[in-house]
Amino acid sequence: MAPSDKVNVAVIGVGGQGLHNARALFQERDCQVIAIADPAEEWDLSRFYYGGKSGRGPARAEIESTYAATTPHYRCAAYEDFG
């Protein structure tokens, strides 16, 4: 698939629901998450419904490892503020 055949997406807020939404986008062949924004480097959600870790660091690592299989040298941009 040519790069121009994909929709590039940025996710603002990669806490529990935002990371869950990004994971749903992984299933879409014509979509690619290229950037994230979240004020927290890492959230510990182990006490909540979503569980695990989220925030810029964990989300970026998961996104990059997901796309690395199909896009060599893939990097996801991460921002502390969306402004």
Side-chain angles (χ1 to χ4, degrees):
M1 174 177 290
S4 61
D5 292 335
K6 291 184 180 182
V7 174
N8 292 319
V9 176
V11 179
I12 298 174
V14 285
Q17 186 63 46
L19 187 53
H20 179 76
N21 291 341
R23 289 176 182 144
L25 293 172
F26 296 161
Q27 308 306 312
E28 304 298 327
R29 287 183 32 91
D30 59 351
C31 175
Q32 183 168 305
V33 179
I34 62 161
I36 57 172
D38 198 291
E41 177 63 32
E42 183 173 306
W43 295 85
D44 180 6
L45 298 177
S46 59
R47 298 182 353 208
F48 301 99
Y49 169 78
Y50 296 104
K53 304 272 186 198
S54 67
R56 286 189 319 275
R60 184 179 193 180
E62 184 173 338
I63 292 166
E64 288 180 350
S65 68
T66 298
Y67 290 120
T70 57
T71 308
H73 310 291
Y74 173 81
R75 291 287 179 250
C76 178
Y79 300 94
E80 185 174 348
D81 189 5
F82 57 86

